[in-house]
Amino acid sequence: MNAGAYNKLITIQRRSHEQDAEGFPLQEWEDYYSNYAYINNLSGTERWNAAQVQSDTTVRFTMRWHKTLDAVKAKEFRIVYDGAPYIITFVDNVMHKNETVKIDALEVES
């Protein structure tokens, strides 16, 4: 892919494993890795749930491989792009060539 296509700065965050005074896990995130990515909307769906319409937008973030990205897993990490958090659903080191990584994520509604 053309180097100029990777033009959107994203930050991957890792869930904090810290606990509060009572031993309950804190719902906090810490920055893990930042770099430029190519972003593509994959799909959008609407569903009805308890008399509410909710929409899901799946976005694919494509970036150059870096060894740090090998540790990124769906439930422990998220992406922040343009101030909005995205829940990671799938991470693909394309053809295991260590050249390109595709990360599918769902935009979190506020």
Side-chain angles (χ1 to χ4, degrees):
M1 181 176 283
N2 179 347
Y6 299 103
N7 60 0
K8 306 295 183 193
L9 183 61
I10 67 168
T11 299
I12 298 175
Q13 294 182 327
R14 178 175 34 195
R15 186 183 307 272
S16 172
H17 291 288
E18 295 181 22
Q19 298 177 346
D20 65 12
E22 287 82 33
F24 294 104
L26 296 172
Q27 292 295 323
E28 295 187 14
W29 297 89
E30 56 192 16
D31 289 353
Y32 177 74
Y33 181 75
S34 292
N35 209 334
Y36 289 89
Y38 169 78
I39 301 173
N40 188 29
N41 287 330
L42 293 181
S43 66
T45 61
E46 285 188 0
R47 56 188 158 83
W48 293 88
N49 186 14
Q52 275 185 318
V53 176
Q54 296 177 335
S55 64
D56 294 331
T57 302
T58 301
V59 177
R60 176 167 288 158
F61 298 89
T62 304
M63 52 197 317
R64 289 187 182 93
W65 175 85
H66 186 276
K67 63 183 177 183
T68 306
L69 296 173
D70 288 342
V72 175
K73 306 294 180 222
K75 295 185 179 182
E76 295 292 318
F77 293 83
R78 72 177 184 180
I79 290 176
V80 176
Y81 166 65
D82 200 22
Y86 293 79
I87 299 168
I88 295 174
T89 58
F90 184 71
V91 180
D92 180 21
N93 179 350
V94 178
M95 299 176 68
H96 298 278
K97 289 185 173 183
N98 295 343
E99 294 173 359
T100 306
V101 175
K102 293 182 180 181
I103 303 174
D104 294 350
L106 289 172
E107 185 176 7
V108 177
E109 286 190 13
S110 305

Coordinates of all heavy atoms in Angstrom, one line a residue, residues 11-68:
T11 N -4.4 5.5 18.4 CA -3.7 5.0 19.6 C -4.4 3.7 20.0 O -5.6 3.6 20.1 CB -3.8 6.0 20.7 OG1 -3.2 7.2 20.3 CG2 -3.2 5.5 22.0
I12 N -3.6 2.7 20.3 CA -4.1 1.4 20.8 C -3.9 1.5 22.3 O -2.8 1.9 22.8 CB -3.4 0.2 20.2 CG1 -3.7 0.2 18.7 CG2 -3.8 -1.1 20.9 CD1 -2.9 -0.9 18.0
Q13 N -4.9 1.2 23.1 CA -4.8 1.3 24.5 C -5.0 -0.1 25.1 O -5.8 -0.9 24.6 CB -5.9 2.2 25.1 CG -5.7 3.7 24.7 CD -6.7 4.6 25.4 OE1 -7.9 4.2 25.5 NE2 -6.3 5.8 25.7
R14 N -4.4 -0.3 26.3 CA -4.5 -1.6 27.0 C -5.3 -1.4 28.3 O -5.1 -0.4 28.9 CB -3.1 -2.2 27.3 CG -3.1 -3.5 28.1 CD -1.8 -4.1 28.3 NE -0.7 -3.1 28.5 CZ 0.5 -3.4 28.4 NH1 0.9 -4.6 28.1 NH2 1.4 -2.4 28.6
R15 N -6.1 -2.3 28.6 CA -6.9 -2.3 29.8 C -6.0 -2.3 31.0 O -5.1 -3.2 31.0 CB -7.9 -3.4 29.9 CG -8.9 -3.3 31.1 CD -9.8 -4.5 31.1 NE -10.5 -4.8 29.9 CZ -11.7 -4.2 29.5 NH1 -12.3 -3.4 30.4 NH2 -12.3 -4.5 28.4
S16 N -6.2 -1.5 32.0 CA -5.4 -1.4 33.2 C -5.8 -2.6 34.1 O -6.9 -3.0 34.2 CB -5.6 -0.1 33.9 OG -4.9 -0.2 35.2
H17 N -4.8 -3.2 34.7 CA -5.0 -4.3 35.6 C -5.0 -3.9 37.1 O -4.8 -4.7 38.0 CB -4.1 -5.5 35.4 CG -4.3 -6.1 34.0 ND1 -5.4 -7.0 33.8 CD2 -3.6 -6.1 32.9 CE1 -5.3 -7.4 32.5 NE2 -4.3 -6.9 32.0
E18 N -5.1 -2.6 37.3 CA -5.0 -2.1 38.7 C -6.3 -2.3 39.4 O -7.4 -2.4 38.7 CB -4.7 -0.6 38.6 CG -3.3 -0.3 38.1 CD -3.0 1.2 38.1 OE1 -3.6 1.9 38.8 OE2 -2.1 1.6 37.3
Q19 N -6.3 -2.3 40.7 CA -7.5 -2.5 41.5 C -7.6 -1.3 42.5 O -6.7 -0.7 42.9 CB -7.3 -3.8 42.3 CG -7.2 -5.0 41.4 CD -7.0 -6.3 42.2 OE1 -6.7 -6.3 43.4 NE2 -7.2 -7.4 41.6
D20 N -8.9 -1.1 42.9 CA -9.2 -0.1 43.8 C -8.9 -0.6 45.3 O -8.4 -1.8 45.4 CB -10.6 0.5 43.7 CG -11.7 -0.6 44.0 OD1 -11.4 -1.6 44.6 OD2 -12.9 -0.3 43.7
A21 N -9.2 0.2 46.3 CA -8.9 -0.2 47.7 C -9.6 -1.5 48.1 O -9.1 -2.2 49.0 CB -9.2 1.0 48.6
E22 N -10.8 -1.7 47.5 CA -11.6 -2.9 47.9 C -11.2 -4.2 47.0 O -11.8 -5.2 47.2 CB -13.1 -2.7 47.7 CG -13.6 -1.8 48.8 CD -13.4 -0.3 48.5 OE1 -13.4 0.1 47.3 OE2 -13.2 0.5 49.4
G23 N -10.3 -4.0 46.1 CA -9.8 -5.1 45.3 C -10.6 -5.3 44.0 O -10.4 -6.3 43.3
F24 N -11.5 -4.4 43.7 CA -12.2 -4.4 42.4 C -11.4 -3.8 41.3 O -10.7 -2.9 41.5 CB -13.6 -3.7 42.5 CG -14.5 -4.3 43.5 CD1 -14.7 -3.8 44.7 CD2 -15.2 -5.5 43.1 CE1 -15.6 -4.3 45.6 CE2 -16.1 -6.1 44.0 CZ -16.3 -5.5 45.3
P25 N -11.5 -4.4 40.1 CA -10.7 -3.9 39.0 C -11.2 -2.5 38.5 O -12.4 -2.3 38.5 CB -10.9 -4.9 37.8 CG -12.1 -5.7 38.2 CD -12.3 -5.6 39.7
L26 N -10.2 -1.7 38.2 CA -10.5 -0.3 37.7 C -10.8 -0.4 36.2 O -10.1 -1.1 35.5 CB -9.4 0.7 38.0 CG -9.1 0.9 39.5 CD1 -7.8 1.7 39.7 CD2 -10.3 1.6 40.2
Q27 N -11.7 0.3 35.7 CA -12.0 0.3 34.3 C -11.3 1.5 33.7 O -11.8 2.5 33.3 CB -13.5 0.5 34.1 CG -14.3 -0.7 34.5 CD -13.9 -2.0 33.6 OE1 -13.7 -1.9 32.4 NE2 -13.9 -3.1 34.2
E28 N -10.0 1.4 33.6 CA -9.1 2.4 33.1 C -8.3 1.9 32.0 O -8.0 0.7 31.9 CB -8.2 3.0 34.2 CG -9.0 3.8 35.2 CD -8.1 4.5 36.2 OE1 -7.0 4.7 35.9 OE2 -8.6 4.9 37.2
W29 N -7.9 2.7 31.1 CA -7.1 2.3 29.9 C -5.8 3.1 29.9 O -5.7 4.3 30.3 CB -7.8 2.6 28.6 CG -9.1 1.8 28.5 CD1 -10.3 2.2 29.0 CD2 -9.3 0.6 27.9 NE1 -11.2 1.2 28.7 CE2 -10.6 0.2 28.0 CE3 -8.4 -0.3 27.2 CZ2 -11.1 -1.0 27.5 CZ3 -8.9 -1.5 26.7 CH2 -10.2 -1.8 26.9
E30 N -4.7 2.5 29.4 CA -3.4 3.1 29.3 C -2.9 3.0 27.9 O -3.2 2.0 27.2 CB -2.4 2.6 30.3 CG -2.2 1.1 30.1 CD -1.4 0.4 31.3 OE1 -1.2 1.1 32.3 OE2 -0.9 -0.7 31.1
D31 N -2.3 4.1 27.4 CA -1.8 4.1 26.0 C -0.7 3.0 25.9 O 0.1 2.8 26.7 CB -1.2 5.4 25.6 CG -2.2 6.5 25.5 OD1 -3.4 6.2 25.5 OD2 -1.9 7.7 25.3
Y32 N -0.8 2.2 24.8 CA 0.1 1.1 24.5 C 0.9 1.3 23.3 O 2.1 1.1 23.3 CB -0.8 -0.2 24.3 CG 0.0 -1.4 24.0 CD1 0.8 -2.1 25.0 CD2 0.0 -2.0 22.7 CE1 1.5 -3.2 24.6 CE2 0.7 -3.1 22.4 CZ 1.5 -3.7 23.4 OH 2.2 -4.8 23.1
Y33 N 0.3 1.8 22.2 CA 1.0 2.0 20.9 C 0.3 3.0 20.0 O -1.0 2.9 20.0 CB 1.1 0.6 20.2 CG 1.9 0.7 18.9 CD1 3.2 0.7 18.8 CD2 1.2 0.6 17.7 CE1 3.9 0.8 17.6 CE2 1.8 0.6 16.4 CZ 3.2 0.7 16.4 OH 3.9 0.7 15.2
S34 N 1.0 3.9 19.4 CA 0.4 4.9 18.5 C 1.1 4.8 17.2 O 2.4 4.7 17.2 CB 0.5 6.3 19.1 OG -0.4 6.4 20.2
N35 N 0.4 4.9 16.1 CA 1.0 5.0 14.8 C -0.1 5.4 13.8 O -1.3 5.5 14.1 CB 1.6 3.6 14.4 CG 2.8 3.8 13.4 OD1 2.9 4.8 12.7 ND2 3.7 2.9 13.5
Y36 N 0.3 5.5 12.5 CA -0.6 5.9 11.5 C -1.2 4.7 10.8 O -0.6 3.7 10.6 CB 0.1 6.8 10.5 CG 0.4 8.2 11.0 CD1 1.6 8.4 11.7 CD2 -0.5 9.2 10.9 CE1 1.9 9.6 12.3 CE2 -0.2 10.5 11.5 CZ 1.0 10.7 12.1 OH 1.2 11.9 12.7
A37 N -2.5 4.8 10.4 CA -3.2 3.7 9.8 C -4.1 4.2 8.7 O -4.4 5.4 8.6 CB -4.1 3.1 10.9
Y38 N -4.5 3.3 7.9 CA -5.5 3.5 6.8 C -6.8 3.0 7.4 O -6.8 1.9 8.0 CB -5.1 2.7 5.6 CG -6.2 2.6 4.5 CD1 -6.4 3.6 3.7 CD2 -6.9 1.4 4.4 CE1 -7.4 3.6 2.7 CE2 -7.9 1.4 3.4 CZ -8.2 2.4 2.6 OH -9.1 2.3 1.6
I39 N -7.9 3.8 7.3 CA -9.1 3.4 7.9 C -10.2 3.3 6.8 O -10.3 4.1 5.9 CB -9.5 4.5 8.9 CG1 -8.4 4.7 10.0 CG2 -10.9 4.2 9.5 CD1 -8.7 5.8 10.9
N40 N -11.0 2.2 7.0 CA -12.0 1.9 6.0 C -13.2 1.4 6.8 O -13.1 0.5 7.6 CB -11.5 0.8 5.1 CG -12.4 0.5 4.0 OD1 -13.2 1.4 3.5 ND2 -12.4 -0.7 3.5
N41 N -14.4 2.0 6.5 CA -15.7 1.5 7.1 C -16.0 0.2 6.4 O -16.1 0.1 5.2 CB -16.8 2.5 6.9 CG -16.6 3.7 7.8 OD1 -16.1 3.6 8.9 ND2 -17.1 4.8 7.4
L42 N -16.3 -0.9 7.2 CA -16.6 -2.2 6.6 C -18.2 -2.3 6.4 O -18.7 -2.8 5.4 CB -16.1 -3.3 7.4 CG -14.6 -3.4 7.5 CD1 -14.2 -4.6 8.3 CD2 -14.0 -3.6 6.0
S43 N -18.9 -2.0 7.5 CA -20.3 -2.1 7.5 C -21.0 -1.3 8.6 O -20.4 -0.9 9.5 CB -20.7 -3.6 7.7 OG -20.3 -4.0 9.0
G44 N -22.3 -1.2 8.4 CA -23.1 -0.6 9.4 C -24.4 -1.3 9.5 O -24.9 -1.8 8.5
T45 N -24.8 -1.6 10.8 CA -26.0 -2.3 11.0 C -26.9 -1.6 12.0 O -26.4 -0.9 12.8 CB -25.8 -3.8 11.5 OG1 -25.1 -3.7 12.7 CG2 -25.0 -4.6 10.5
E46 N -28.2 -1.8 11.9 CA -29.1 -1.3 12.9 C -29.8 -2.5 13.5 O -30.2 -3.4 12.8 CB -30.1 -0.3 12.3 CG -29.5 1.0 12.0 CD -30.6 2.1 11.6 OE1 -31.7 1.7 11.6 OE2 -30.2 3.2 11.4
R47 N -30.0 -2.4 14.8 CA -30.8 -3.5 15.5 C -31.7 -2.8 16.5 O -31.4 -1.7 17.0 CB -29.9 -4.5 16.1 CG -28.9 -4.0 17.1 CD -27.9 -5.0 17.5 NE -26.7 -4.5 18.0 CZ -26.5 -4.0 19.2 NH1 -27.5 -4.1 20.1 NH2 -25.4 -3.5 19.6
W48 N -32.8 -3.5 16.8 CA -33.8 -3.1 17.8 C -33.5 -3.8 19.1 O -33.3 -5.0 19.1 CB -35.2 -3.4 17.3 CG -35.6 -2.5 16.1 CD1 -35.4 -2.9 14.8 CD2 -36.2 -1.3 16.1 NE1 -35.8 -1.8 14.0 CE2 -36.3 -0.9 14.8 CE3 -36.6 -0.4 17.2 CZ2 -36.9 0.4 14.5 CZ3 -37.2 0.8 16.8 CH2 -37.3 1.2 15.5
N49 N -33.4 -3.1 20.2 CA -33.2 -3.7 21.5 C -33.9 -2.9 22.5 O -33.6 -1.7 22.7 CB -31.7 -3.7 21.7 CG -31.3 -4.4 23.0 OD1 -32.1 -5.2 23.5 ND2 -30.1 -4.3 23.5
A50 N -34.9 -3.5 23.2 CA -35.7 -2.8 24.2 C -36.2 -1.5 23.8 O -36.0 -0.5 24.5 CB -34.8 -2.7 25.5
A51 N -36.8 -1.4 22.6 CA -37.5 -0.2 22.1 C -36.5 0.9 21.8 O -36.8 2.0 21.7 CB -38.5 0.3 23.0
Q52 N -35.2 0.5 21.6 CA -34.2 1.5 21.2 C -33.6 1.0 19.9 O -33.3 -0.2 19.7 CB -33.1 1.5 22.2 CG -33.3 2.4 23.4 CD -32.0 2.5 24.2 OE1 -31.4 1.5 24.5 NE2 -31.7 3.7 24.7
V53 N -33.3 1.9 19.0 CA -32.5 1.6 17.8 C -31.1 1.8 18.1 O -30.7 2.9 18.6 CB -33.0 2.4 16.6 CG1 -32.1 2.1 15.4 CG2 -34.4 2.2 16.3
Q54 N -30.2 0.8 17.9 CA -28.8 0.9 18.1 C -28.1 0.6 16.8 O -28.5 -0.3 16.0 CB -28.3 -0.1 19.2 CG -28.9 0.1 20.5 CD -28.5 -0.9 21.5 OE1 -28.1 -2.0 21.2 NE2 -28.5 -0.5 22.8
S55 N -27.1 1.3 16.5 CA -26.3 1.1 15.3 C -24.9 0.7 15.6 O -24.3 1.1 16.6 CB -26.3 2.4 14.4 OG -25.6 3.4 15.0
D56 N -24.4 -0.2 14.8 CA -23.1 -0.7 14.9 C -22.3 -0.4 13.7 O -22.8 -0.6 12.6 CB -23.0 -2.3 15.1 CG -23.7 -2.7 16.4 OD1 -23.6 -1.9 17.4 OD2 -24.2 -3.8 16.5
T57 N -21.1 0.2 13.8 CA -20.3 0.5 12.7 C -19.0 -0.3 12.9 O -18.3 -0.1 13.8 CB -20.0 2.0 12.6 OG1 -21.3 2.7 12.5 CG2 -19.2 2.3 11.4
T58 N -18.7 -1.1 11.9 CA -17.4 -1.9 11.9 C -16.4 -1.1 11.1 O -16.7 -0.8 9.9 CB -17.6 -3.3 11.4 OG1 -18.6 -4.0 12.2 CG2 -16.3 -4.1 11.5
V59 N -15.2 -0.9 11.6 CA -14.2 -0.2 11.0 C -13.0 -1.1 10.9 O -12.7 -1.8 11.9 CB -13.9 1.1 11.7 CG1 -12.7 1.9 11.1 CG2 -15.1 2.0 11.8
R60 N -12.2 -1.0 9.8 CA -11.0 -1.7 9.7 C -9.8 -0.7 9.7 O -9.8 0.2 8.9 CB -10.9 -2.6 8.4 CG -9.6 -3.3 8.2 CD -9.6 -4.3 7.2 NE -10.3 -5.5 7.7 CZ -10.9 -6.4 6.9 NH1 -10.8 -6.3 5.6 NH2 -11.6 -7.4 7.5
F61 N -8.9 -0.9 10.6 CA -7.7 -0.1 10.7 C -6.6 -1.0 10.1 O -6.3 -2.1 10.7 CB -7.4 0.2 12.2 CG -8.5 1.1 12.8 CD1 -9.6 0.5 13.5 CD2 -8.4 2.4 12.8 CE1 -10.5 1.2 14.1 CE2 -9.4 3.2 13.4 CZ -10.5 2.6 14.0
T62 N -5.9 -0.5 9.1 CA -4.8 -1.2 8.5 C -3.5 -0.4 8.7 O -3.5 0.8 8.5 CB -5.0 -1.4 7.0 OG1 -6.3 -2.0 6.8 CG2 -3.9 -2.2 6.3
M63 N -2.5 -1.1 9.3 CA -1.3 -0.4 9.6 C -0.1 -1.3 9.3 O -0.3 -2.5 9.1 CB -1.3 0.1 11.0 CG -1.6 -0.9 12.0 SD -2.1 -0.3 13.7 CE -0.9 1.0 13.9
R64 N 1.1 -0.7 9.2 CA 2.3 -1.5 9.0 C 2.5 -2.3 10.3 O 2.3 -1.9 11.4 CB 3.5 -0.6 8.8 CG 3.5 0.1 7.5 CD 4.8 0.8 7.3 NE 4.8 1.5 6.0 CZ 4.4 2.8 5.8 NH1 4.0 3.5 6.9 NH2 4.4 3.3 4.6
W65 N 3.0 -3.5 10.1 CA 3.3 -4.4 11.2 C 4.4 -3.9 12.1 O 5.4 -3.3 11.6 CB 3.7 -5.8 10.7 CG 4.1 -6.8 11.8 CD1 3.3 -7.5 12.6 CD2 5.4 -7.0 12.3 NE1 4.0 -8.2 13.5 CE2 5.3 -7.9 13.3 CE3 6.7 -6.5 11.9 CZ2 6.4 -8.4 14.0 CZ3 7.8 -7.0 12.6 CH2 7.7 -7.9 13.6
H66 N 4.3 -4.1 13.4 CA 5.3 -3.8 14.3 C 5.2 -4.9 15.4 O 4.1 -5.3 15.7 CB 5.2 -2.4 15.0 CG 6.3 -2.0 15.8 ND1 6.4 -2.4 17.2 CD2 7.4 -1.3 15.6 CE1 7.5 -1.9 17.7 NE2 8.1 -1.2 16.8
K67 N 6.4 -5.3 15.9 CA 6.4 -6.5 16.8 C 5.5 -6.2 18.1 O 4.9 -7.1 18.6 CB 7.8 -6.8 17.3 CG 8.5 -5.7 18.0 CD 9.9 -6.1 18.4 CE 10.6 -4.9 19.0 NZ 12.0 -5.3 19.3
T68 N 5.3 -4.9 18.4 CA 4.4 -4.6 19.5 C 3.0 -5.0 19.3 O 2.2 -5.3 20.2 CB 4.5 -3.0 19.8 OG1 5.8 -2.7 19.9 CG2 3.7 -2.6 21.0

